[in-house]
Amino acid sequence: MTTFLLATSSVHVTAAAADYLQHRLDPAADHDIVVVAVRDPDAPSRDAGDAVNVARSRLAAFMPATETRDGAPVTEILAAVDEHDPDELLIGPHRGTDDSDGVGSTARDLLTNVDRPVIVLPLP
């Protein structure tokens, strides 16, 4: 069994993760997908909820587990990694807003603090 943890706070990141997973996984195989949406105090409050809804819809064939957390994104994502012990962590390169470019501080912090494969999803 492979466990994937998708850390998101954006519909754009969630959609990119769904595209990535749908082309790589067989719905009949034994995979666990955990979607952790973090409500960042600096982002619009509905973003995390919208991200979870996109995950439920786009990944319905895989029946993802979803949870929403409040707090600092890096802290909450690292706690989720400790709790769920995923084989892979899926993240976006940045918050997923139209004005972002490059790799953001959350992605950089996670890349230096996670001891398993981290997939940085390209955003459209």
Side-chain angles (χ1 to χ4, degrees):
M1 172 173 57
T2 304
T3 301
F4 298 89
L5 191 146
L6 165 58
T8 185
S9 64
S10 156
V11 296
H12 303 292
V13 171
T14 306
D19 291 343
Y20 173 83
L21 291 169
Q22 286 175 342
H23 295 288
R24 286 166 178 75
L25 303 180
D26 177 358
D30 193 14
H31 301 292
D32 284 335
I33 300 172
V34 179
V35 179
V36 176
V38 179
R39 279 190 285 250
D40 182 349
D42 297 331
S45 61
R46 69 174 206 193
D47 286 357
D50 290 347
V52 166
N53 289 335
V54 168
R56 287 183 184 135
S57 173
R58 296 275 313 271
L59 298 170
F62 304 105
M63 299 185 313
T66 60
E67 58 186 67
T68 304
R69 297 172 178 236
D70 293 307
V74 172
T75 302
E76 295 303 322
I77 294 166
L78 291 174
V81 168
D82 286 342
E83 290 170 27
H84 297 285
D85 193 29
D87 297 295
E88 289 185 20
L89 173 63
L90 305 167
I91 63 172
H94 47 73
R95 189 171 288 169
T97 57
D98 292 335
D99 60 346
S100 297
D101 62 347
V103 175
S105 60
T106 299
R108 281 193 309 270
D109 287 349
L110 291 169
L111 287 167
T112 60
N113 288 295
V114 174
D115 64 350
R116 64 204 68 225
V118 177
I119 307 301
V120 180
L121 302 157
L123 299 180

